[in-house]
């Protein structure tokens, strides 16, 4: 059973529904208001002050974060444990979400997410997502497939990047060796 979350302010529901419609793995239901409302019912609302971590690399996590407003930095640590910013993203520019892998598996976070400005997030826990899928199997399966498709696209890009880096390294060694 989905744990019902605190209701949003009366002037916000339409804006929240619109934001959810923009998330790629919910967008197939953008014209299905009843389904988008059910997805909204899974969401908790959380605020993060500028400079606070939303997600910490290497910690276990079980929540997806949809950045409703604000700007975030994706941060990784080097082998020497020094942080560096991988990218910066703003919720005003596109539908932002982080932590989608936590809806699928129970593993450590692969990066940190830092609030660069004050941020408002819509949060979906794995337990609520699984309960939603049990109550709405067709919708849950379609969303899970779309999350998997996006993860596969990311994996393919990572594989391509690794091959490019490896080729550049081999060429560098060949040229200087």
């Amino acid at each position: 059973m989905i744990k019902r979350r605190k209701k949003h302010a009366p002037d916000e529901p339409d804006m929240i529904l619109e934001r959810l419609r923009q998330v790629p793995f919910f967008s197939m239901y953008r014209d299905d208001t009843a389904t988008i409302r059910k997805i909204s019912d899974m969401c908790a609302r959380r605020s993060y002050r500028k400079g606070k971590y939303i997600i910490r690399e290497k910690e276990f996590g079980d929540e997806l974060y949809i950045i409703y407003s604000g700007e975030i930095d994706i941060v990784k640590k080097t082998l020497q444990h020094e942080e560096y910013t991988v990218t910066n993203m703003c919720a005003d520019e596109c539908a932002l979400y982080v932590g989608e892998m936590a809806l699928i598996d129970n593993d450590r976070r692969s990066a940190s997410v830092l609030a660069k400005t004050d941020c408002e997030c819509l949060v979906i826990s794995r337990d609520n997502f699984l309960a939603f899928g049990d109550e709405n199997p067709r919708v849950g399966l379609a969303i899970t497939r779309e999350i998997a498709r996006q993860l596969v696209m990311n994996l393919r890009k990572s594989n391509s990047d690794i091959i490019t880096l490896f080729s550049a390294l081999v060429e560098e060694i060949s040229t200087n060796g």
Side-chain angles (χ1 to χ4, degrees):
M1 177 177 207
I2 297 174
K3 296 176 189 168
R4 298 292 173 206
R5 299 299 184 169
K6 182 177 88 172
K7 295 291 181 197
H8 307 293
D11 59 340
E12 295 179 349
D14 290 338
M15 293 171 50
I16 290 171
L17 296 178
E18 185 54 37
R19 180 55 50 127
L20 291 173
R21 286 181 175 103
Q22 296 168 2
V23 175
F25 41 84
F26 301 143
S27 65
M28 76 230 9
Y29 297 104
R30 77 172 40 103
D31 297 327
D32 182 348
T33 302
T35 298
I36 292 293
R37 284 189 199 287
K38 287 179 185 179
I39 293 168
S40 175
D41 287 345
M42 283 192 288
C43 297
R45 185 93 179 253
R46 286 203 202 130
S47 299
Y48 294 88
R49 305 291 289 161
K50 175 183 178 178
K52 297 295 181 184
Y53 282 93
I54 298 169
I55 292 174
R56 286 193 180 265
E57 184 176 2
K58 303 238 184 262
E59 289 184 355
F60 285 95
D62 66 348
E63 295 174 320
L64 159 73
Y65 295 82
I66 299 163
I67 312 304
Y68 183 70
S69 67
E71 195 172 337
I72 60 171
D73 284 337
I74 305 297
V75 179
K76 295 276 295 168
K77 288 188 179 178
T78 66
L79 294 175
Q80 294 76 30
H81 303 287
E82 295 174 10
E83 288 189 341
Y84 67 96
T85 300
V86 175
T87 191
N88 172 270
M89 297 185 283
C90 181
D92 295 338
E93 297 167 7
C94 63
L96 293 181
Y97 58 92
V98 292
E100 68 277 10
M101 288 189 291
L103 295 181
I104 307 296
D105 77 346
N106 185 23
D107 205 351
R108 295 179 187 272
R109 300 290 192 171
S110 60
S112 294
V113 178
L114 182 65
K116 188 168 182 161
T117 64
D118 289 349
C119 292
E120 290 288 324
C121 300
L122 303 173
V123 183
I124 299 176
S125 72
R126 182 185 315 111
D127 288 343
N128 275 355
F129 180 69
L130 294 174
F132 175 83
D134 289 343
E135 292 174 15
N136 306 276
R138 285 186 181 183
V139 175
L141 178 60
I143 292 170
T144 301
R145 283 180 175 161
E146 185 59 25
I147 291 170
R149 189 184 72 73
Q150 293 200 10
L151 292 173
V152 166
M153 285 184 352
N154 292 343
L155 180 60
R156 286 188 178 127
K157 182 182 180 323
S158 294
N159 287 343
S160 177
D161 291 348
I162 288 169
I163 290 169
T164 300
L165 288 170
F166 181 76
S167 297
L169 179 61
V170 168
E171 185 172 325
E172 180 69 22
I173 291 170
S174 298
T175 304
N176 294 329

